[in-house]
Amino acid sequence: MENVLGSPPPGMVSAEDMAKLDELRTAFPAWTIGWSAGRNPWYARRKRGPGWRGGAWALEAESQEMMRDLLGGVEAVNTTHAAASVAAAARRRLGALAERLRGHGLIVDLTTDLDVDDDRELDGGTARVALTVAVAAGAPVDVITCQARESDEGRLWFYNGAGEPIEQASHVVDATLVITAAVTADAEVSR
């Protein structure tokens, strides 16, 4: 069986199947979808980049309808697992950030199942875990969340309470310095 990458040569596949192929490619842009001569002529391969977190990456089907069903199912499963994986990684990053901030003398509380201002849209949606940070009791508090940032290929980032990105979550030391400076400055202004 010879795989044909991209579009099949003219005459190898009908105009109707070419239209179906184009339809699938439009509906599932994260996949390279093609057609080859063989028992299962429809194939799809996931485009994997730096944000790839695992899951199904290759499919074969005997019909366009079967391929559509397989792709839809894989997308649903991958989305569910990716969300759980991102949430677990965000909790770990926030835990590491919390320890660093405590080391700088800040009051830090790790909160789970927190919905951050429903009217504020962050790349990752609603936060499930957040840090509240203050210099001292009664001082202004900032809420720090950790979410995937689509504009950075889905990498985790820390966000402040205004929904502004602070720093990539893998840069905990840098984020600690930025947050400490911001919270300290806010406390000075409120005195």
Side-chain angles (χ1 to χ4, degrees):
M1 178 174 86
E2 180 182 333
N3 282 339
V4 179
L5 298 176
S7 297
M12 190 172 194
V13 64
S14 70
E16 180 183 346
D17 281 342
M18 276 306 298
K20 289 178 179 180
L21 183 60
D22 289 339
E23 178 187 323
L24 282 173
R25 288 174 173 166
T26 300
F28 299 96
W31 294 80
T32 299
I33 302 170
W35 189 91
S36 64
R39 193 172 77 199
N40 293 315
W42 295 89
Y43 70 86
R45 289 186 179 77
R46 167 73 90 174
K47 297 173 185 172
R48 298 176 288 173
W52 173 253
R53 291 184 177 86
W57 64 272
L59 301 170
E60 291 182 343
E62 63 184 30
S63 69
Q64 184 261 358
E65 293 80 14
M66 182 182 197
M67 181 56 72
R68 177 176 285 286
D69 289 346
L70 288 171
L71 286 166
V74 167
E75 289 294 298
V77 169
N78 284 348
T79 299
T80 300
H81 287 285
S85 174
V86 168
R91 279 191 294 277
R92 287 191 303 273
R93 296 290 185 177
L94 283 168
L97 180 61
E99 291 305 313
R100 285 264 181 195
L101 292 170
R102 284 185 188 109
H104 282 259
L106 298 178
I107 298 171
V108 180
D109 181 36
L110 186 62
T111 308
T112 58
D113 294 326
L114 174 72
D115 286 335
V116 178
D117 300 334
D118 292 336
D119 60 338
R120 191 186 72 194
E121 185 75 23
L122 291 178
D123 283 342
T126 307
R128 307 310 300 156
V129 180
L131 292 177
T132 54
V133 183
V135 173
V141 172
D142 199 358
V143 177
I144 309 300
T145 58
C146 184
Q147 299 183 20
R149 186 175 184 183
E150 295 309 315
S151 63
D152 190 20
E153 298 179 344
R155 289 181 184 93
L156 290 174
W157 275 68
F158 295 119
Y159 289 85
N160 66 17
E164 299 164 340
I166 299 170
E167 186 62 62
Q168 192 173 335
S170 60
H171 303 160
V172 175
V173 173
D174 295 336
T176 300
L177 296 174
V178 171
I179 293 166
T180 301
V183 172
T184 304
D186 288 347
E188 291 296 321
V189 169
S190 68
R191 283 189 189 175

